[in-house]
Amino acid sequence: MTGLARAGFTVERADNGADGYAMGMEDAYAAVILDLGLPQMRGLDVLKRWRASDCKMPVLILTARGAWAEKVDGLNAGADDYITKPFHIPEVAARLKALIRRASGIASSLITHHGISLDTASSRVLLNGKPIELTASELKMLTYFMYRVGRVVSQAELIDHLYALEDSRESNTIEVYVSRLRRKLGSDVITTVRGLGYRMD
């Protein structure tokens, strides 16, 4: 979890399959890492139940079970990718980013919009060709908006994206980060939609 957090992800963890299944049903996660060898409910059963319930978030299976037949079972059950242990965090992070891009309909790691260029692989941001320094939280928020251009994003969505369950969550911090992005990228980059949230046009 620490390695993925350092790679820029907000991470939440379930200690068993039953809790993991419930979390996947209740919240819209950008992606899920799923271990097959879980207590209370097998990882494969969790995946099958998610897909049967039309949960479409990308799922990366991460497990010690490396037999080709188990990989086939996992992929046929609806997994989007599969990594066996031992693994390296940079590879897991790269695969997760690729799955999230694909789920958003974006093939490249480079996303551009109105003079803003975001490379999700290097976490580099350019504004009209000039580098812009963003904090980790600002980068997370910008990435979330760049994947959802034209869509209204609520404060609750942004809070869920920026903070893990155990973190202290305050809605006014969202306003602070939006203000910082406007100051660094342009006052009109993010529009406030009263009563609903924010939108990147």
Side-chain angles (χ1 to χ4, degrees), residues 72-86:
V72 170
D73 288 342
L75 294 170
N76 284 339
D80 299 276
D81 202 353
Y82 200 118
I83 294 182
T84 55
K85 301 174 183 178

Side-chain angles (χ1 to χ4, degrees), residues 81-111:
D81 202 353
Y82 200 118
I83 294 182
T84 55
K85 301 174 183 178
F87 58 86
H88 300 284
I89 289 296
E91 180 186 3
V92 176
R95 286 178 182 252
L96 281 176
K97 289 177 180 179
L99 289 179
I100 294 168
R101 288 198 306 269
R102 197 178 307 148
S104 303
I106 299 171
S108 171
S109 65
L110 183 64
I111 311 172

Side-chain angles (χ1 to χ4, degrees), residues 162-175:
L162 290 177
Y163 300 106
L165 285 173
E166 63 271 16
D167 292 341
S168 176
R169 299 175 169 209
E170 297 180 16
S171 60
N172 65 334
T173 60
I174 299 300
E175 297 173 11

